[in-house]
């Protein structure tokens, strides 16, 4: 594949296009069968996925893989299958009085062939969740998983090859060269999850064919702690949300904003909470490693830069981790000149910033790029509603972290620099469908004939009447 990617990719796309032309509107039974195969495949390979992802990471918690990669895919497939009949129905739409006796309807129609570019941090979930939505909508799917999790990518190619014909769904493995060629294919829709920088390149490549794109990116997601919050509860929930997958989560809290008087008590409570969740780092099967040596070096560089520029580093545990396991760190006394406050962290480092007024905290959030997630902790409902009204984010969880991503009855997606478009549940079905409007004029009478030429006084009177009643 790495030697002649362009030709192999083109042939794969042409095979899927031909299959779609032969079956442009798959039945409900066909779509449910495909979703059932995703579910069966996921269940059969759940243990092997956990083992393989762990090898790619050097260590990945088996339970985290079961929760975040396996269970989420199972739930998405079951949700789509159970609701698919309603999603697929043609919908009768309102027709304005002046167009009667004509009628309107809306037909959900598959787009064709969907490309999915998946990242390394949740390699199975972030490949299969958009694929589920695309299959539910009646499309064919090509997936390019990350080259940074090569064993998992190879396993996914084998799994999909066992359960699906290549013209239904296919996994294309390969390096960054293959990825660039994949992004440049003339898909009917291209779905990308990854960094903002790479997302821009993907969008540019897709634009050459006017391919519509959904971009699920990231950014620096804030956790805003209100003065009314319970510090112990906040600490426990932030500790879990930050350290799932060792912080390698696109919606992980990237920094905390807390009232100045609460910063040190919150830091103390966070360290205690982390130690309860993870009594040790080295040798702890529950704590995941950093996926690659390059990412570990980047995170260590963020710590070194922050320390050199005056930050106070608070490790949660004594000593160092083992292998690529990085001890979690809180960072106090940070400033905008530090790289840790400029880059998305994507690891177990958590800065805490003080604020002196609610408006100061809100201004800080609004002065930065719109994040993929925002977290708010507190009991003051008026303060909560002010935060919701004054900030933008792809999604929000109140008094907890991460869990908005699991809501199949809510859209998941970014805004601004954190992405465009949404999926999950019916929003994923709609993303990969053309909602085709159909206007039906009866054969026996068309009121619009009254506006045919030759024009004259009658036309003027009818147009004036139309403007009044429309």
């Amino acid at each position: 594949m790495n030697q002649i990617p362009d030709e192999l990719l083109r042939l794969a796309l042409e095979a899927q296009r031909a299959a779609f032309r032969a079956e442009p509107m798959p039945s409900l039974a066909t779509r449910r069968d495909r979703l059932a195969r995703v579910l069966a495949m996921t269940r059969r390979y759940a243990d092997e996925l956990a083992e393989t992802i762990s090898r790619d990471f050097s260590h990945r918690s088996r339970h985290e893989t079961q929760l975040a990669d396996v269970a989420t895919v199972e739930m998405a497939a079951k949700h789509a299958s159970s609701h698919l009949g309603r999603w697929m129905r043609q919908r009768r739409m309102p027709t304005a009085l002046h167009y009667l006796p004509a009628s309107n309807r809306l037909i959900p129609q598959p787009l064709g062939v969907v490309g999915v570019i998946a990242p390394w941090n949740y390699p199975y979930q972030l490949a299969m969740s958009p694929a589920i939505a695309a299959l539910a909508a009646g499309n064919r799917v090509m997936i390019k998983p990350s080259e940074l999790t090569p064993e998992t990518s190879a396993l996914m190619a084998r799994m999909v090859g066992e359960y699906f014909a290549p013209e239904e769904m296919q996994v294309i493995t390969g390096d960054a060269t293959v990825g660039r060629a994949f992004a440049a294919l003339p898909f009917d829709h291209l779905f990308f999850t990854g960094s903002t920088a790479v997302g821009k390149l993907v969008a540019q490549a897709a634009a050459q064919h006017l391919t519509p794109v959904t971009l699920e990116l990231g950014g620096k997601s804030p956790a805003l702690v209100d003065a009314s919050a319970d510090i112990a509860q906040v600490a426990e929930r932030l500790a879990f949300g930050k350290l799932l997958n060792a912080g390698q989560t696109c919606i992980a809290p990237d920094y905390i904003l807390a009232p100045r008087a609460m910063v040190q008590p919150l830091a103390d409570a966070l360290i205690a909470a982390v130690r309860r969740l993870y009594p040790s780092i080295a040798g702890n099967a529950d704590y995941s490693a950093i996926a690659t040596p390059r990412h570990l070096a980047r995170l260590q560089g963020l710590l070194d830069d922050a320390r050199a520029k005056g930050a106070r580093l608070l490790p949660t545990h004594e000593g160092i981790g083992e292998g690529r396991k990085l001890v979690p760190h809180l960072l106090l006394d940070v400033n905008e000149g530090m790289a840790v406050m400029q880059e998305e962290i994507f690891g177990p480092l958590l800065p805490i910033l003080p604020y002196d007024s609610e408006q100061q905290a809100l201004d800080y959030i609004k002065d930065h790029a719109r994040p993929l997630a925002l977290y708010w902790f507190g009991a003051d409902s008026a303060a909560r509603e002010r935060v919701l009204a004054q900030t933008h984010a792809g999604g929000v969880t109140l008094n907890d972290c991460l869990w908005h991503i699991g809501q199949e009855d809510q859209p998941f997606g970014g805004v601004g620099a954190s992405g465009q478009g949404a999926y999950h549940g019916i929003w994923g079905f709609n993303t990969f469908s053309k909602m085709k409007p159909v206007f039906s004029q009866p054969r026996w009478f068309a009121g619009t004939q009254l506006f045919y030429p030759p024009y004259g006084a009658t036309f003027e009177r009818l147009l004036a009447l139309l403007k009044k009643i429309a």
Side-chain angles (χ1 to χ4, degrees):
M1 170 59 74
N2 293 350
Q3 295 174 340
I4 48 171
D6 293 356
E7 179 65 14
L8 293 179
L9 287 169
R10 183 184 62 79
L11 291 173
L13 178 61
E14 287 181 358
Q16 291 207 352
R17 281 208 188 285
F20 179 76
R21 284 195 296 270
E23 189 186 22
M25 186 66 81
S27 67
L28 173 61
T30 295
R31 300 185 201 195
R32 280 184 169 157
D33 171 68
R34 291 170 181 167
L35 295 174
R37 280 183 273 156
V38 171
L39 186 59
M41 174 179 74
T42 303
R43 287 172 171 168
R44 177 183 169 189
Y45 281 96
D47 291 338
E48 191 170 348
L49 276 166
E51 294 167 3
T52 306
I53 293 173
S54 185
R55 285 197 301 272
D56 274 330
F57 272 63
S58 80
H59 175 73
R60 167 86 175 277
S61 164
R62 179 177 67 85
H63 296 91
E64 289 183 347
T65 295
Q66 293 292 340
L67 171 66
D69 275 286
V70 174
T72 52
V73 170
E74 290 186 17
M75 290 185 286
K78 289 192 289 185
H79 180 89
S81 184
S82 64
H83 292 83
L84 190 51
R86 178 170 56 85
W87 296 348
M88 287 176 62
R89 282 193 210 115
Q90 296 185 19
R91 307 167 201 178
R92 187 71 178 263
M93 306 301 288
T95 305
L97 175 65
H98 47 282
Y99 286 110
L100 296 177
S103 62
N104 282 313
R105 58 188 166 133
L106 196 62
I107 302 176
Q109 186 174 25
L111 292 174
V113 181
V114 170
V116 175
I117 301 177
W120 52 265
N121 58 325
Y122 295 98
Y124 190 67
Q125 179 214 143
L126 295 176
M128 295 312 302
S129 290
I132 285 168
L135 292 171
N139 299 282
R140 311 294 168 135
V141 183
M142 292 172 60
I143 300 172
K144 169 60 179 76
S146 174
E147 65 275 12
L148 298 182
T149 47
E151 288 198 48
T152 305
S153 296
L155 174 60
M156 286 169 54
R158 176 161 59 89
M159 292 165 58
V160 170
E162 288 180 15
Y163 280 81
F164 291 87
E167 60 269 19
E168 287 180 304
M169 182 162 67
Q170 186 174 8
V171 174
I172 306 291
T173 60
D175 60 14
T177 301
V178 177
R180 285 191 291 271
F182 188 95
L185 289 173
F187 290 111
D188 297 293
H189 195 104
L190 181 58
F191 189 102
F192 170 81
T193 303
S195 71
T196 300
V198 178
K200 291 178 181 179
L201 299 176
V202 169
Q204 290 170 7
Q208 302 306 308
H209 302 289
L210 297 180
T211 299
V213 295
T214 298
L215 301 175
E216 296 296 345
L217 308 176
K220 299 188 73 62
S221 296
L224 177 54
V225 179
D226 188 71
S228 62
D230 180 302
I231 288 179
Q233 183 185 81
V234 171
E236 182 177 55
R237 296 178 183 184
L238 274 172
F240 169 78
K242 179 62 179 179
L243 296 182
L244 181 74
N245 202 26
Q248 299 165 107
T249 303
C250 59
I251 56 170
D254 206 84
Y255 64 94
I256 300 171
L257 286 163
R260 189 173 297 276
M262 293 175 67
V263 168
Q264 191 60 55
L266 179 58
D268 295 339
L270 273 165
I271 291 173
V274 171
R275 288 176 178 171
R276 284 195 301 273
L277 295 176
Y278 306 98
S280 65
I281 298 301
N284 189 341
D286 293 336
Y287 189 73
S288 294
I290 304 304
T292 70
R294 180 170 64 86
H295 284 89
L296 178 62
R298 183 186 64 83
L299 290 166
Q300 189 60 57
L302 294 180
L303 284 173
D304 294 342
D305 174 79
R307 183 187 292 108
K309 293 176 180 176
R312 185 155 51 103
L313 275 52
L314 303 179
T316 59
H317 296 72
E318 294 181 0
I320 60 174
E322 61 179 353
R324 294 205 299 269
K325 289 187 177 181
L326 180 61
V327 171
H329 281 70
L330 304 180
L331 291 84
L332 276 59
D333 303 328
V334 296
N335 59 62
E336 291 291 290
M338 298 173 183
V340 76
M341 294 309 300
Q342 298 169 4
E343 303 174 15
E344 182 178 6
I345 295 172
F346 229 70
L349 317 180
L350 187 55
I352 306 178
L353 283 69
Y355 68 83
D356 297 306
S357 70
E358 177 188 274
Q359 194 58 51
Q360 181 189 16
L362 292 174
D363 288 342
Y364 185 89
I365 294 171
K366 291 187 287 185
D367 286 343
H368 292 76
R370 291 173 174 176
L372 185 56
L374 184 144
Y375 303 109
W376 182 88
F377 293 86
D380 186 335
S381 59
R384 177 194 67 211
E385 295 306 310
R386 286 193 297 270
V387 171
L388 292 175
Q390 292 191 43
T391 59
H392 286 82
V396 177
T397 290
L398 302 173
N399 289 309
D400 213 333
C401 289
L402 309 183
W403 294 111
H404 63 281
I405 195 175
Q407 309 310 307
E408 289 294 319
D409 291 303
Q410 290 267 55
F412 178 80
V415 58
S418 61
Q420 60 187 43
Y423 71 123
H424 288 198
I426 191 171
W427 285 271
F429 177 89
N430 290 343
T431 287
F432 297 117
S433 299
K434 165 58 182 173
M435 294 298 176
K436 185 163 68 178
V438 178
F439 176 79
S440 299
Q441 190 75 275
R443 293 189 302 274
W444 53 272
F445 176 73
T448 51
Q449 288 176 293
L450 298 172
F451 294 95
Y452 290 178
Y455 303 120
T458 300
F459 174 90
E460 298 292 345
R461 286 194 296 270
L462 287 171
L463 185 59
L465 178 61
L466 177 62
K467 290 178 179 180
K468 289 181 180 179
I469 65 174

